[in-house]
Amino acid sequence: MTTRKPDTIMAHGGRDPNAHHGFVNVPVHRGSTILFPSVAAWRAAKQPGSDAYVYTRIGNPNSRAFEQTVAALEGGAGAIATCSGLAALSTALSALTSAGDHILVADTVYGPGRAYCEKVLMRMGVEVEFIAPDVGTAIASRVKPNTTLVYLEAPGSHSFEMIDLPAVTNAAKAAAADPGRLRVMVDNTWGTPLFFRTFEHGIDVSVHAGTKYMVGHSDVMLGVIVANAATEPEIRRFAHLQGVCASPDDLFLGLRGLRTMGVRLREQSQRGLAIAEWLAARPEVARVRHPALPSDPGHAIWKRDFTGAASLFAIELDGRYNLAATDRFIDSLQYFGLGASWGGFESLVYPGDDLPRAVAPPQPAGRMLRFHIGLEDLDDLKDDLNQALGQMHALSQGADAAE
Ligand SMILES: *Cc1c(COP(=O)(O)O)cnc(C)c1O
């Protein structure tokens, strides 16, 4: 059973019908206290290596089922569930750094993850240095004797620049004074355990916003840290010290989401690409940022390292459309909700205004907007985009005429 394929892991992972009166799913074990029949049983449960549940914060059947399924899916040694994707990032970042360390962070990582480095880690005495997404093997010259962590994300949040993850990982480790002390962590929310095989590329830690495709229905916040055997115990110990955990109800829904993630993701991936291609052919659109498009600068790297693409990408509207016109475009969309997050069944649009960048600002031709493509009918989505682009164009024509 060691050769189970991802779809089988998603269907069978974490299930134990015999332990639950034959029920297919692990029921929600809502609770705090776990009772022991005797002092001897309590003492045995607290022995190192015991897999007994002792307290819900430390683990319960729902967290274990979810964690085991995600770890198996991605090929990590273990996984730690958290109450949000950001909590997964902050827990892993704090677990792996100490005062006096130097860390290298891709300029394109998720904004709040970056803010945690700048506002918390730096306050705790960690030196944070940002690197451009195209750093490649030149990362070697940025590694110092005290560099302990490289934190990457590909493609970049909102701006979708690819990073050569294997090249950066290998070069950073080769340049480290003690390769075992330098860990590489990737926010793999876009890649998902299905489309980017983190641990096959020498990466130590993979962090996911479970909130996105894993949950898949925009109704739960959840995060998960997956790590290799050398790193997982360290992060788990730290998570327990921090009191980081996720609620049993949310973990139940997270595991339910995973059951169908494969089909949702493959379907949304195709629809995302279809809409990206359609938008790329529009005169109102200057550029589409989607690494699965052959015209994208990151396409070769994406094609080599990824087996699929999330249904999340960005467009640059033509520079002739001002803020009022592009606001009109967003406001005219009927099926694309304006809101943060993504990975659910429904389409979304989100402005990429004022991205926090230190060394590699994206410099778009016009306003940059991020799209998430859901499971609506493709023709309906195209009709909606078409009418909203028309509204935008009409407003800008009217403005021209009034000048
Ligand atoms: C949404 C997101 C997160 C944070 O997840 P939350 O569950 O919203 O806290 C982290 N990384 C990436 C790439 C994300 O898109």
Side-chain angles (χ1 to χ4, degrees):
M1 294 296 280
T2 51
T3 57
R4 292 186 307 170
K5 301 274 196 302
D7 278 350
T8 308
I9 294 170
M10 284 182 282
H12 284 265
R15 286 171 44 193
D16 189 3
N18 290 336
H20 304 290
H21 309 284
F23 283 85
V24 169
N25 294 295
V26 179
V28 178
H29 288 253
R30 194 180 285 127
S32 50
T33 302
I34 294 158
L35 298 174
F36 295 89
S38 66
V39 179
W42 171 77
R43 195 174 286 129
K46 295 189 64 105
Q47 287 300 310
S50 159
D51 66 356
Y53 299 110
V54 294
Y55 191 48
T56 294
R57 193 181 63 221
I58 311 294
N60 87 337
N62 299 107
S63 64
R64 199 171 288 171
F66 178 79
E67 290 172 350
Q68 285 178 350
T69 305
V70 176
L73 197 56
E74 193 155 13
I80 300 121
T82 62
C83 64
S84 70
L86 182 57
L89 283 171
S90 67
T91 300
L93 286 165
S94 285
L96 299 174
T97 53
S98 303
D101 285 355
H102 167 255
I103 70 169
L104 292 165
V105 179
D107 203 30
T108 45
V109 299
Y110 178 65
R114 172 200 193 94
Y116 187 81
C117 294
E118 291 183 304
K119 300 206 164 83
V120 182
L121 294 186
M122 275 167 84
R123 185 156 62 79
M124 302 293 180
V126 176
E127 188 193 343
V128 179
E129 186 180 338
F130 293 100
I131 47 173
D134 62 358
V135 65
T137 54
I139 187 129
S141 66
R142 314 292 281 276
V143 173
K144 301 187 194 183
N146 61 335
T147 305
T148 53
L149 185 72
V150 178
Y151 163 23
L152 307 169
E153 179 180 333
S157 262
H158 282 278
S159 46
F160 298 91
E161 301 92 336
M162 282 305 297
I163 296 179
D164 189 334
L165 295 170
V168 171
T169 301
N170 294 332
K173 292 202 172 196
D178 173 0
R181 261 201 83 211
L182 184 148
R183 260 74 63 95
V184 177
M185 170 175 130
V186 167
D187 183 331
N188 195 24
T189 304
W190 190 94
T192 81
L194 297 183
F195 292 159
F196 182 68
R197 306 293 302 162
T198 328
F199 300 100
E200 291 167 19
H201 297 283
I203 292 157
D204 303 280
V205 184
S206 174
V207 173
H208 298 272
T211 309
K212 311 289 165 59
Y213 289 112
M214 290 185 184
V215 163
H217 295 74
S218 310
D219 48 7
V220 174
M221 304 292 304
L222 202 59
V224 62
I225 306 159
V226 193
N228 61 14
T231 318
E232 192 265 350
E234 202 177 332
I235 301 177
R236 185 174 296 279
R237 270 195 303 277
F238 185 84
H240 289 172
L241 288 168
Q242 286 273 45
V244 167
C245 61
S247 107
D249 294 81
D250 293 347
L251 288 159
F252 177 90
L253 289 171
L255 190 54
R256 187 166 80 171
L258 279 176
R259 302 295 182 211
T260 58
M261 186 173 77
V263 282
R264 281 188 285 108
L265 200 49
R266 288 190 290 265
E267 186 62 34
Q268 284 179 251
S269 176
Q270 285 187 9
R271 293 177 192 216
L273 197 54
I275 296 291
E277 281 165 352
W278 185 88
L279 282 164
R282 293 289 305 211
E284 301 91 342
V285 176
R287 178 180 162 193
V288 178
R289 292 170 169 258
H290 190 318
L293 288 181
S295 58
D296 192 272
H299 183 68
I301 290 173
W302 171 81
K303 205 171 168 192
R304 186 195 63 197
D305 296 340
F306 286 62
T307 58
S311 64
L312 187 81
F313 60 89
I315 65 168
E316 294 172 17
L317 288 165
D318 192 282
R320 81 193 112 128
Y321 300 111
N322 64 16
L323 196 66
T326 57
D327 277 355
R328 167 77 70 89
F329 171 57
I330 298 170
D331 285 339
S332 303
L333 289 164
Q334 300 298 303
Y335 295 128
F336 294 82
L338 166 58
S341 205
W342 45 279
F345 53 83
E346 85 289 17
S347 293
L348 296 167
V349 61
Y350 200 76
D353 305 340
D354 305 323
L355 296 180
R357 298 284 188 263
V359 295
Q363 299 180 322
R367 196 168 186 196
M368 202 152 82
L369 302 175
R370 188 185 71 182
F371 280 92
H372 170 256
I373 306 306
L375 291 165
E376 299 90 343
D377 183 272
L378 268 182
D379 291 332
D380 286 346
L381 293 181
K382 288 176 191 168
D383 284 349
D384 192 22
L385 289 164
N386 185 47
Q387 64 79 22
L389 287 169
Q391 301 258 4
M392 172 179 80
H393 194 70
L395 184 70
S396 83
Q397 295 291 93
D400 288 350
E403 270 169 19

PDB file of all heavy atoms in Angstrom, residues 276-277 280 287-300:
ATOM      1  N   ALA A 276      -7.954  32.552 -18.790  1.00  0.00           N
ATOM      2  CA  ALA A 276      -6.700  33.313 -18.947  1.00  0.00           C
ATOM      3  C   ALA A 276      -6.413  33.520 -20.434  1.00  0.00           C
ATOM      4  O   ALA A 276      -6.046  34.622 -20.859  1.00  0.00           O
ATOM      5  CB  ALA A 276      -5.551  32.565 -18.271  1.00  0.00           C
ATOM      6  N   GLU A 277      -6.600  32.477 -21.238  1.00  0.00           N
ATOM      7  CA  GLU A 277      -6.358  32.586 -22.687  1.00  0.00           C
ATOM      8  C   GLU A 277      -7.343  33.563 -23.329  1.00  0.00           C
ATOM      9  O   GLU A 277      -6.979  34.376 -24.181  1.00  0.00           O
ATOM     10  CB  GLU A 277      -6.483  31.202 -23.346  1.00  0.00           C
ATOM     11  CG  GLU A 277      -5.238  30.359 -23.134  1.00  0.00           C
ATOM     12  CD  GLU A 277      -5.446  28.874 -23.433  1.00  0.00           C
ATOM     13  OE1 GLU A 277      -6.606  28.452 -23.667  1.00  0.00           O
ATOM     14  OE2 GLU A 277      -4.438  28.143 -23.396  1.00  0.00           O
ATOM     15  N   ALA A 280      -6.316  37.018 -22.448  1.00  0.00           N
ATOM     16  CA  ALA A 280      -5.068  37.411 -23.122  1.00  0.00           C
ATOM     17  C   ALA A 280      -5.339  37.907 -24.546  1.00  0.00           C
ATOM     18  O   ALA A 280      -4.583  38.715 -25.086  1.00  0.00           O
ATOM     19  CB  ALA A 280      -4.087  36.239 -23.141  1.00  0.00           C
ATOM     20  N   ARG A 287      -1.609  42.266 -20.491  1.00  0.00           N
ATOM     21  CA  ARG A 287      -0.826  41.057 -20.210  1.00  0.00           C
ATOM     22  C   ARG A 287      -1.559  40.181 -19.211  1.00  0.00           C
ATOM     23  O   ARG A 287      -2.247  40.691 -18.320  1.00  0.00           O
ATOM     24  CB  ARG A 287       0.530  41.477 -19.622  1.00  0.00           C
ATOM     25  CG  ARG A 287       1.418  40.304 -19.255  1.00  0.00           C
ATOM     26  CD  ARG A 287       2.753  40.775 -18.684  1.00  0.00           C
ATOM     27  NE  ARG A 287       3.371  39.674 -17.956  1.00  0.00           N
ATOM     28  CZ  ARG A 287       4.400  39.795 -17.128  1.00  0.00           C
ATOM     29  NH1 ARG A 287       4.940  40.978 -16.914  1.00  0.00           N
ATOM     30  NH2 ARG A 287       4.882  38.750 -16.511  1.00  0.00           N
ATOM     31  N   VAL A 288      -1.434  38.871 -19.370  1.00  0.00           N
ATOM     32  CA  VAL A 288      -1.959  37.931 -18.381  1.00  0.00           C
ATOM     33  C   VAL A 288      -0.768  37.278 -17.699  1.00  0.00           C
ATOM     34  O   VAL A 288       0.160  36.818 -18.368  1.00  0.00           O
ATOM     35  CB  VAL A 288      -2.867  36.866 -19.034  1.00  0.00           C
ATOM     36  CG1 VAL A 288      -3.359  35.861 -17.988  1.00  0.00           C
ATOM     37  CG2 VAL A 288      -4.060  37.525 -19.720  1.00  0.00           C
ATOM     38  N   ARG A 289      -0.788  37.283 -16.379  1.00  0.00           N
ATOM     39  CA  ARG A 289       0.295  36.663 -15.602  1.00  0.00           C
ATOM     40  C   ARG A 289      -0.170  35.299 -15.126  1.00  0.00           C
ATOM     41  O   ARG A 289      -0.891  35.187 -14.133  1.00  0.00           O
ATOM     42  CB  ARG A 289       0.639  37.556 -14.407  1.00  0.00           C
ATOM     43  CG  ARG A 289       1.275  38.872 -14.802  1.00  0.00           C
ATOM     44  CD  ARG A 289       1.373  39.809 -13.616  1.00  0.00           C
ATOM     45  NE  ARG A 289       2.212  40.960 -13.930  1.00  0.00           N
ATOM     46  CZ  ARG A 289       3.482  41.089 -13.530  1.00  0.00           C
ATOM     47  NH1 ARG A 289       4.037  40.167 -12.777  1.00  0.00           N
ATOM     48  NH2 ARG A 289       4.173  42.154 -13.883  1.00  0.00           N
ATOM     49  N   HIS A 290       0.183  34.280 -15.846  1.00  0.00           N
ATOM     50  CA  HIS A 290      -0.241  32.900 -15.553  1.00  0.00           C
ATOM     51  C   HIS A 290       0.861  31.989 -16.075  1.00  0.00           C
ATOM     52  O   HIS A 290       1.057  31.885 -17.291  1.00  0.00           O
ATOM     53  CB  HIS A 290      -1.570  32.623 -16.265  1.00  0.00           C
ATOM     54  CG  HIS A 290      -2.227  31.338 -15.864  1.00  0.00           C
ATOM     55  ND1 HIS A 290      -1.528  30.159 -15.690  1.00  0.00           N
ATOM     56  CD2 HIS A 290      -3.528  31.032 -15.600  1.00  0.00           C
ATOM     57  CE1 HIS A 290      -2.363  29.196 -15.343  1.00  0.00           C
ATOM     58  NE2 HIS A 290      -3.583  29.696 -15.272  1.00  0.00           N
ATOM     59  N   PRO A 291       1.594  31.319 -15.180  1.00  0.00           N
ATOM     60  CA  PRO A 291       2.757  30.553 -15.633  1.00  0.00           C
ATOM     61  C   PRO A 291       2.429  29.390 -16.569  1.00  0.00           C
ATOM     62  O   PRO A 291       3.331  28.902 -17.252  1.00  0.00           O
ATOM     63  CB  PRO A 291       3.400  30.057 -14.331  1.00  0.00           C
ATOM     64  CG  PRO A 291       2.397  30.260 -13.267  1.00  0.00           C
ATOM     65  CD  PRO A 291       1.464  31.329 -13.715  1.00  0.00           C
ATOM     66  N   ALA A 292       1.172  28.970 -16.646  1.00  0.00           N
ATOM     67  CA  ALA A 292       0.836  27.890 -17.585  1.00  0.00           C
ATOM     68  C   ALA A 292       0.621  28.401 -19.006  1.00  0.00           C
ATOM     69  O   ALA A 292       0.472  27.608 -19.935  1.00  0.00           O
ATOM     70  CB  ALA A 292      -0.409  27.136 -17.101  1.00  0.00           C
ATOM     71  N   LEU A 293       0.617  29.730 -19.210  1.00  0.00           N
ATOM     72  CA  LEU A 293       0.534  30.272 -20.569  1.00  0.00           C
ATOM     73  C   LEU A 293       1.937  30.250 -21.185  1.00  0.00           C
ATOM     74  O   LEU A 293       2.888  30.742 -20.569  1.00  0.00           O
ATOM     75  CB  LEU A 293       0.026  31.717 -20.548  1.00  0.00           C
ATOM     76  CG  LEU A 293      -1.443  31.957 -20.222  1.00  0.00           C
ATOM     77  CD1 LEU A 293      -1.741  33.453 -20.272  1.00  0.00           C
ATOM     78  CD2 LEU A 293      -2.358  31.200 -21.165  1.00  0.00           C
ATOM     79  N   PRO A 294       2.091  29.709 -22.392  1.00  0.00           N
ATOM     80  CA  PRO A 294       3.421  29.640 -23.010  1.00  0.00           C
ATOM     81  C   PRO A 294       4.106  30.994 -23.128  1.00  0.00           C
ATOM     82  O   PRO A 294       5.328  31.073 -23.133  1.00  0.00           O
ATOM     83  CB  PRO A 294       3.140  29.042 -24.386  1.00  0.00           C
ATOM     84  CG  PRO A 294       1.880  28.260 -24.208  1.00  0.00           C
ATOM     85  CD  PRO A 294       1.068  29.022 -23.198  1.00  0.00           C
ATOM     86  N   SER A 295       3.322  32.082 -23.184  1.00  0.00           N
ATOM     87  CA  SER A 295       3.909  33.424 -23.310  1.00  0.00           C
ATOM     88  C   SER A 295       4.456  33.945 -21.978  1.00  0.00           C
ATOM     89  O   SER A 295       5.132  34.974 -21.943  1.00  0.00           O
ATOM     90  CB  SER A 295       2.833  34.395 -23.813  1.00  0.00           C
ATOM     91  OG  SER A 295       1.735  34.392 -22.896  1.00  0.00           O
ATOM     92  N   ASP A 296       4.179  33.267 -20.889  1.00  0.00           N
ATOM     93  CA  ASP A 296       4.596  33.779 -19.574  1.00  0.00           C
ATOM     94  C   ASP A 296       6.091  33.568 -19.377  1.00  0.00           C
ATOM     95  O   ASP A 296       6.625  32.508 -19.701  1.00  0.00           O
ATOM     96  CB  ASP A 296       3.817  33.043 -18.477  1.00  0.00           C
ATOM     97  CG  ASP A 296       3.971  33.720 -17.121  1.00  0.00           C
ATOM     98  OD1 ASP A 296       4.930  33.394 -16.389  1.00  0.00           O
ATOM     99  OD2 ASP A 296       3.134  34.585 -16.810  1.00  0.00           O
ATOM    100  N   PRO A 297       6.794  34.585 -18.816  1.00  0.00           N
ATOM    101  CA  PRO A 297       8.246  34.433 -18.615  1.00  0.00           C
ATOM    102  C   PRO A 297       8.618  33.251 -17.710  1.00  0.00           C
ATOM    103  O   PRO A 297       9.718  32.721 -17.816  1.00  0.00           O
ATOM    104  CB  PRO A 297       8.664  35.747 -17.948  1.00  0.00           C
ATOM    105  CG  PRO A 297       7.513  36.660 -18.026  1.00  0.00           C
ATOM    106  CD  PRO A 297       6.295  35.901 -18.401  1.00  0.00           C
ATOM    107  N   GLY A 298       7.700  32.829 -16.848  1.00  0.00           N
ATOM    108  CA  GLY A 298       8.007  31.714 -15.947  1.00  0.00           C
ATOM    109  C   GLY A 298       7.572  30.360 -16.476  1.00  0.00           C
ATOM    110  O   GLY A 298       7.653  29.348 -15.777  1.00  0.00           O
ATOM    111  N   HIS A 299       7.098  30.338 -17.749  1.00  0.00           N
ATOM    112  CA  HIS A 299       6.478  29.112 -18.259  1.00  0.00           C
ATOM    113  C   HIS A 299       7.408  27.894 -18.258  1.00  0.00           C
ATOM    114  O   HIS A 299       7.005  26.798 -17.869  1.00  0.00           O
ATOM    115  CB  HIS A 299       5.945  29.355 -19.671  1.00  0.00           C
ATOM    116  CG  HIS A 299       5.226  28.173 -20.242  1.00  0.00           C
ATOM    117  ND1 HIS A 299       4.017  27.732 -19.744  1.00  0.00           N
ATOM    118  CD2 HIS A 299       5.555  27.311 -21.238  1.00  0.00           C
ATOM    119  CE1 HIS A 299       3.627  26.660 -20.423  1.00  0.00           C
ATOM    120  NE2 HIS A 299       4.543  26.383 -21.332  1.00  0.00           N
ATOM    121  N   ALA A 300       8.660  28.092 -18.685  1.00  0.00           N
ATOM    122  CA  ALA A 300       9.579  26.941 -18.796  1.00  0.00           C
ATOM    123  C   ALA A 300       9.820  26.306 -17.426  1.00  0.00           C
ATOM    124  O   ALA A 300       9.804  25.072 -17.296  1.00  0.00           O
ATOM    125  CB  ALA A 300      10.898  27.384 -19.431  1.00  0.00           C
TER     126      ALA A 300
END
